[in-house]
Each structure stands twice: as structure tokens, then as C-alpha cells.
């Protein structure tokens, strides 16, 4: 049977293009991306894109608006909802881990070409804008130190480094991001330990904090209105704003798996390690912030600049620990740098995936000899130039614009992830694919996916709810909160209009769950043989060291 273009895997499309141009002497070729990302790279790559300025700085606004109890509860709820997305999309990705895969690719292959088209382009422009957001955050933080260097110079330096790293071979990129993210991870661990020390009165002034700030100024705040309604609005704000810290982390798991070694084995491992790290870093981080920092601290919202708005830095200053605030400030800058690095990787691979699926110009499928889609990287880098908005506008204002805009896209993406998962399960049932045939399943599915889909649908509609209260409406806030929804629908129905012959929804029995599977299984068998031989060599390693590696996910 002739294979249709719209269900062809990225690896096959790139390979066919390569065959047609095998005599091309250019350095830039069509040979596709390469699997150079190891399991430890993938796990840190995901954390690098997730543990960013949202955790270090953005939590301050949520703490100020909602209070420590609501902040802690919000992160618990969001961790559970994000788990539902990660588990769902990992189940699909582990079964069909084709090179160049993405959530948009699965939307095209499993649901409809129009969904894949709209998702792919939404990912591309949102992640491009997200790079500008991370650079904006870093530019704000740099102002913590008095300096006369123009903000445009700092933006240029950060952009050059991020783009240069994305032009490196994927192994070099993965290794650099591994160490970038490691700095953030160990810093968070150090801050959690410091929080415990301050909790028990181990600071320079020996003041035992305990849960004092939960009593004075209080565990919960009121937001927009007074009374119970104000407390509800405060919790809702904390839920929606906290989502920003987790944005697109499930999607990055899938994209990284496209260039991961032994993805059927390592993708579920990376996803599981990622979940428990989210719980440790975000849930315990939110608890620690509520313990060591007052929610009525003026610097959280308008009294400070840069990292002074970070609850961690505020707590360190109030505890009288000299010098540590500048160290944390430097880490926040590398955090923004690392997140921008990961996000540009996602944006370029999303454009590459669009091109190999036929939804973007074919030039973006071209890769250099190291497997880097250089034209996709160049095009994606252009969107990061939005960071120069900081030159003429207050950085804090631009920061909040980007937060609202990116949040909307994330909610749309997560709802679509659940939809793709449900169609995948229906296709498996219709085609006789048993649960035992899947490399990864979760005992909590499909219930967590249903809960996540409903919750994120509501969050998408309520993303800018504060603008509907008297005295809070601004055109810029309304547009950044909601313009993503009509933009997505315009791309979806626009594709439907020009591709009238395509089906609205693929029938479960016609969903292609076979193409590329034989190659995947063959590669896995080869990788398993190599891994088994390597495992024999590592057998005599110290047991305690092997356990640490296994727990951390480096093995």
C-alpha cells in the first residue's frame, strides 16, 4: 500500500530527501537529526527548560498575592495535573519514538493534519517568544548590581551564547545543558537546606522562623476583592500563575526523546525521574518560600528590582547572610540562560518537525553534518529578538506580558496532549494493540488525563480573569492573556479551509501505528546489545555509587 505523506514519519521524510540529494556537495545536507542525547542529558534538558526564573523569581508574585498556604497548595495541585500530561504523552512517545517527533507530529498522525499544523506553528512562535522572556528575566536580574552597561548589550551577549550553543552538535549541546541545569538543581537543593536551617533558627541572628509567617501576616491573602471571594481569587491566581513554572515541560520530554539513545527504555525513565524532581523542587520549594519569606514583603512586587524580587534573595538578606544574595543572583542569570537554551532547542526542533511533515518550507529540514537543523535554528532565533522590547519599555511590564501570552499557549497545548492521548488509546483498542505491547503505561490513566484536560481548559479561559474586575482592565493585559486562543483557532480552521480533502478526525482503525515501528525495534535491539556489554564492564562498580546514579537517573 502506498504510504500517505501526512502519516509519514520524520525520519522517513528526511531519509527520502537525503536520497534525492545524495550527490549534493554542500556542507548543509538533508540527512536528518542524530540521536546524540543520552538519558542523563534528556532528564537535565527537561529540568533546564522547567526550573527557570519562574521558580527563582516568579514565585514572589504568587506569594504576595495568595499567601504561603495557597502557594503551597497550588504547586501540589499543578504537579498532579502536569503528571497527568507527562504520563499520557510519554505513553505515546515510548511506543513510537521516531526521530524528529513532537506533540504536533503525533497530533497530525493520530488526530488530524489540521491539529498537527496548528500545534506545530503555535509551538514554534510560542517557544521563540519564550526565549525572549528568559532573556528579559535575565536583563531584569542583572540590574540588581549597579552598572552603566546598556540593557541592549546584555541582551546581545545572552542571545549570542544561546544561539551559538544551539548550532553545536547535539552531543555538545546536551552536555552543556546538562551542566547548566546541574548548577540550578544543586542551587535549589542548597536553598532547600538553607530553608531548613533558617526554620530551626540556624541563621546569623538565631531567630527560629518555624511557621511564624503563616501566622503573621497570615497563611492566606485576599486578592481583588475582600472576604471568601477574595481568598478564592487569590488561590485561583496562584494556580494559574504557578502553571508558568511548568510550561511545556511534557513537550520537551517528547522532543528530546526524538534525539535520545534507546528512547523506548530511556524516555519512560526520564519522565518518571522528572516527575519526582518536580515534586521535590517545586512543592518543597513553595513550602520553603512560604516559611522563610513574608508574603507582605514590599520587594516581592514593587519595592525591589531584579533578584531583589526573588523571595529567596529577600529571605537571605533579612537573615543577614552577606554575599549569598549576589551568588543566588548569578545563578538566576545562568538559570535564565539555561532555560533559553532549552527553549530555543524546542523551537528549532518544532520547526524541523513541521518541515519534514510538509507543513513548513522544506529548507528547514536541512541539517549540517552534525545533525543540527541550522536553518530551523536561524529562523527560530529571529523571534528571540523580541527581547529588545526591554530597551524602550520597563522590563517588569514586558516580563508579565510574556507570562500571560506563554501561559495561554501552554494550556492549549496540554488540552491537545490529552486529546491526542485519548485518540491514541482508541486506536490501540481498535487495532488490537494490548497494554502489554506498550513500553510504558500508568495505572492512574486515563483518569488523570481527563482531570488535567478539564482543569487546563478552565485555566485557559480564566488566564486573564483579573482584567474583568473594575479598575483592572488594560488592553495589553487582555490581549496577552487571550490572543493565543483565536490565533490557534485561526491556524486550525485556516488549514481546514485549504485542506478540505483531509478528514476532521482520523478513524481509530485508520490511525497509522505501524510506520517506522520496525526500524525503532531494530535500533532498540542493537542498543540493548551494546548496553548489555557495557553493563558487564560496570558490574564491579561500588554499589553505593551505582545506587546514587540510579536514584538521580544518570545510569
Amino acid at each position: 500500500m502506498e504510504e500517505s505523506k501526512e502519516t509519514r514519519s520524520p525520519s522517513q521524510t528526511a531519509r527520502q530527501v537525503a536520497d534525492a540529494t545524495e550527490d549534493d556537495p554542500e556542507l548543509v545536507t538533508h540527512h536528518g537529526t542524530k540521536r546524540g542525547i543520552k538519558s542523563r542529558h534528556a532528564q537535565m534538558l527537561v529540568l533546564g527548560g522547567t526550573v527557570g526564573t519562574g521558580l527563582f523569581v516568579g514565585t514572589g508574585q504568587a506569594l504576595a498575592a495568595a499567601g504561603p498556604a495557597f502557594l503551597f497548595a497550588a504547586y501540589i495541585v499543578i504537579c498532579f495535573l502536569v503528571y497527568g500530561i507527562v504520563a499520557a504523552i510519554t505513553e505515546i512517545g515510548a511506543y513510537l519514538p521516531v526521530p524528529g517527533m513532537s506533540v504536533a507530529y503525533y497530533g497530525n498522525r493520530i488526530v488530524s493534519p489540521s491539529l498537527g499544523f496548528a500545534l506545530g506553528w503555535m509551538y514554534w512562535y510560542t517557544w521563540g517568544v519564550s526565549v525572549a522572556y528568559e532573556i528579559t528575566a535575565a536583563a531584569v536580574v542583572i540590574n540588581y548590581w549597579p552598572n552603566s552597561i546598556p540593557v541592549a548589550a546584555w541582551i546581545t551577549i545572552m542571545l549570542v551564547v544561546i544561539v551559538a550553543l544551539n548550532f553545536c552538535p547535539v552531543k555538545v549541546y546536551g552536555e552543556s545543558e546538562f551542566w547548566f541545569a546541574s548548577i540550578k538543581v544543586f542551587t535549589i537543593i542548597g536553598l532547600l537546606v538553607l530553608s531548613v536551617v533558617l526554620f530551626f533558627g540556624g541563621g546569623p541572628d538565631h531567630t527560629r522562623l518555624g511557621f511564624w509567617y503563616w501566622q503573621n501576616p497570615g497563611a492566606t491573602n485576599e486578592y481583588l476583592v475582600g472576604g471568601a471571594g477574595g481568598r478564592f481569587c487569590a488561590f485561583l491566581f496562584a494556580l494559574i500563575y504557578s502553571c508558568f513554572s511548568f510550561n511545556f515541560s511534557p513537550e520537551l520530554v517528547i522532543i528530546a526523546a526524538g534525539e535520545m539513545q534507546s528512547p523506548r527504555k530511556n524516555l519512560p525513565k526520564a519522565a518518571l525521574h522528572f516527575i519526582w524532581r518536580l515534586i521535590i523542587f517545586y512543592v518543597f520549594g513553595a513550602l520553603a518560600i512560604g516559611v522563610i519569606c513574608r508574603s507582605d514583603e514590599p520587594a516581592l512586587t514593587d519595592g525591589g528590582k531584579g533578584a531583589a524580587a526573588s523571595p529567596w534573595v529577600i529571605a537571605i538578606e533579612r537573615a543577614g547572610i552577606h554575599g549569598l544574595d549576589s551568588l543566588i543572583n548569578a545563578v538566576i542569570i545562568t538559570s535564565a540562560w539555561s532555560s533559553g537554551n532549552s527553549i530555543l532547542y524546542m523551537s528549532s526542533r518544532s520547526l524541523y518537525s513541521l518541515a519534514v511533515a510538509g507543513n513548513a518550507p522544506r529548507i528547514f529540514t536541512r541539517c549540517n553534518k552534525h545533525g543540527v537543523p541550522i536553518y530551523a535554528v536561524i529562523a527560530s532565533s529571529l523571534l528571540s529578538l523580541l527581547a529588545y522590547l526591554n530597551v524602550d519599555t520597563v522590563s517588569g511590564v514586558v516580563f508579565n506580558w510574556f507570562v500571560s501570552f506563554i501561559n495561554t499557549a501552554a494550556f492549549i497545548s496540554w488540552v491537545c496532549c490529552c486529546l491526542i492521548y485519548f485518540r491514541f488509546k482508541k486506536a490501540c483498542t481498535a487495532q488490537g494493540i494490548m497494554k502489554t505491547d506498550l513500553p510504558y503505561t500508568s495505572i492512574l490513566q486515563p483518569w488523570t488525563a481527563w482531570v488535567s484536560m478539564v482543569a487546563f481548559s478552565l485555566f485557559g479561559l480564566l488566564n486573564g480573569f483579573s482584567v474583568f474586575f473594575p479598575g483592572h482592565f488594560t488592553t495589553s493585559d487582555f490581549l496577552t492573556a487571550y490572543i493565543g486562543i483565536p490565533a490557534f483557532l485561526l491556524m486550525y480552521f485556516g488549514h481546514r479551509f485549504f485542506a478540505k480533502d483531509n478528514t476532521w478526525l482520523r478513524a481509530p482503525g485508520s490511525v497509522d501505528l505501524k510506520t517506522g515501528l520496525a526500524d525503532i525495534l531494530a535500533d532498540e535491539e542493537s542498543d540493548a546489545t551494546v548496553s548489555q556489554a557495557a553493563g558487564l564492564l560496570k558490574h564491579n562498580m561500588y554499589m553505593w555509587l551505582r545506587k546514587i546514579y540510579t536514584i538521580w537517573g544518570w545510569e
Side-chain angles (χ1 to χ4, degrees):
M1 180 182 297
E2 183 181 357
E3 183 183 68
S4 64
K5 175 182 176 182
E6 60 191 24
T7 61
R8 198 178 301 155
S9 75
S11 60
Q12 288 180 310
T13 306
R15 189 159 52 245
Q16 289 176 0
V17 175
D19 293 339
T21 59
E22 60 183 359
D23 296 326
D24 190 349
E26 291 181 294
L27 173 64
V28 178
T29 66
H30 297 274
H31 295 304
T33 56
K34 297 182 179 180
R35 293 193 184 275
I37 295 181
K38 300 178 181 178
S39 178
R40 66 182 178 91
H41 291 160
Q43 292 164 40
M44 281 299 182
L45 183 64
V46 174
L47 280 177
T50 304
V51 179
T53 48
L55 179 59
F56 285 112
V57 180
T59 47
Q61 292 191 42
L63 175 64
F70 282 159
L71 177 67
F72 180 53
Y75 272 96
I76 292 176
V77 172
I78 300 305
C79 275
F80 172 78
L81 295 176
V82 170
Y83 165 77
I85 304 298
V86 173
I89 205 65
T90 299
E91 188 170 326
I92 302 171
Y95 180 73
L96 282 173
V98 297
M101 68 189 193
S102 65
V103 174
Y105 169 73
Y106 290 126
N108 178 17
R109 182 164 176 169
I110 296 172
V111 181
S112 73
S114 296
L115 181 64
F117 177 87
L119 274 176
W121 283 106
M122 184 192 74
Y123 286 143
W124 177 70
Y125 71 68
T126 302
W127 286 332
V129 171
S130 297
V131 178
Y133 155 78
E134 293 294 344
I135 294 173
T136 296
V140 172
V141 167
I142 286 174
N143 288 329
Y144 179 71
W145 295 300
N147 68 88
S148 58
I149 300 176
V151 66
W154 291 118
I155 292 172
T156 302
I157 292 171
M158 287 181 282
L159 269 177
V160 168
V161 174
I162 290 173
V163 174
L165 285 173
N166 273 268
F167 275 120
C168 293
V170 70
K171 288 184 179 180
V172 175
Y173 164 80
E175 195 67 33
S176 66
E177 183 57 27
F178 173 82
W179 292 108
F180 263 135
S182 294
I183 293 173
K184 294 190 289 187
V185 168
F186 290 122
T187 300
I188 288 295
I189 293 173
L191 289 173
L192 291 177
V193 173
L194 175 64
S195 301
V196 174
V197 172
L198 295 177
F199 180 91
F200 289 106
D205 58 1
H206 301 293
T207 301
R208 186 179 184 276
L209 293 178
F211 284 96
W212 172 249
Y213 293 148
W214 289 50
Q215 303 173 39
N216 181 24
T220 61
N221 292 343
E222 297 173 354
Y223 180 62
L224 298 175
V225 295
R231 287 189 292 274
F232 174 78
C233 288
F235 182 56
L236 181 60
F237 176 84
L239 281 173
I240 294 174
Y241 200 90
S242 298
C243 288
F244 184 79
S245 299
F246 302 86
N247 281 352
F248 302 112
S249 51
E251 293 86 343
L252 181 52
V253 174
I254 294 301
I255 289 179
E259 298 177 49
M260 184 188 295
Q261 297 172 353
S262 302
R264 282 195 138 204
K265 180 185 73 173
N266 288 326
L267 175 56
K269 184 190 298 185
L272 290 173
H273 282 292
F274 170 67
I275 289 298
W276 71 256
R277 287 174 190 168
L278 280 186
I279 294 173
I280 291 176
F281 296 145
Y282 281 101
V283 174
F284 288 107
L287 178 62
I289 287 169
V291 166
I292 65 176
C293 184
R294 299 175 61 95
S295 63
D296 61 352
E297 175 63 53
L300 287 173
T301 52
D302 57 8
K305 61 179 181 179
S310 167
W312 303 102
V313 172
I314 293 170
I316 290 169
E317 289 179 338
R318 299 295 181 266
I321 305 174
H322 301 293
L324 188 57
D325 55 343
S326 291
L327 177 62
I328 300 304
N329 191 60
V331 171
I332 292 173
I333 294 173
T334 62
S335 171
W337 224 328
S338 171
S339 295
N341 197 29
S342 297
I343 293 166
L344 182 57
Y345 172 85
M346 288 194 296
S347 181
S348 63
R349 274 21 177 214
S350 177
L351 185 56
Y352 170 81
S353 184
L354 275 170
V356 296
N359 290 326
R362 181 165 289 185
I363 190 175
F364 296 123
T365 64
R366 296 188 177 188
C367 300
N368 63 16
K369 63 182 180 180
H370 300 296
V372 178
I374 59 171
Y375 293 116
V377 172
I378 293 172
S380 301
S381 301
L382 295 178
L383 290 172
S384 60
L385 296 177
L386 288 171
Y388 286 101
L389 285 172
N390 293 279
V391 175
D392 293 326
T393 308
V394 178
S395 295
V397 174
V398 178
F399 183 94
N400 286 326
W401 286 350
F402 286 151
V403 168
S404 293
F405 180 79
I406 296 166
N407 254 358
T408 302
F411 296 144
I412 294 171
S413 173
W414 289 340
V415 170
C416 290
C417 284
C418 294
L419 175 62
I420 295 168
Y421 171 73
F422 295 139
R423 299 303 300 176
F424 172 75
K425 296 299 288 185
K426 280 185 173 293
C428 288
T429 302
Q431 299 180 32
I433 298 175
M434 307 300 292
K435 190 175 183 178
T436 54
D437 297 325
L438 302 176
Y440 170 81
T441 56
S442 171
I443 60 174
L444 297 179
Q445 295 289 29
W447 314 114
T448 52
W450 279 111
V451 173
S452 297
M453 186 170 72
V454 172
F456 290 128
S457 297
L458 293 175
F459 290 171
L461 296 175
L462 296 172
N463 185 34
F465 76 97
S466 61
V467 302
F468 299 109
F469 283 79
H472 290 84
F473 182 87
T474 65
T475 303
S476 59
D477 288 345
F478 176 80
L479 289 177
T480 53
Y482 291 108
I483 196 171
I485 296 176
F488 178 81
L489 294 176
L490 180 64
M491 289 185 293
Y492 177 84
F493 288 108
H495 185 271
R496 283 294 311 155
F497 178 79
F498 289 104
K500 298 178 180 178
D501 294 336
N502 290 332
T503 179
W504 281 89
L505 198 65
R506 298 190 191 277
S510 66
V511 172
D512 181 11
L513 298 179
K514 303 296 183 182
T515 301
L517 189 59
D519 292 339
I520 294 167
L521 294 175
D523 290 342
E524 289 292 318
E525 185 176 352
S526 176
D527 290 341
T529 302
V530 174
S531 298
Q532 186 176 9
L536 293 175
L537 295 176
K538 295 194 300 180
H539 184 70
N540 293 325
M541 286 178 62
Y542 293 111
M543 292 302 297
W544 63 271
L545 185 59
R546 293 186 65 193
K547 288 180 180 179
I548 291 176
Y549 267 50
T550 301
I551 291 172
W552 193 246
W554 288 1
E555 191 170 78

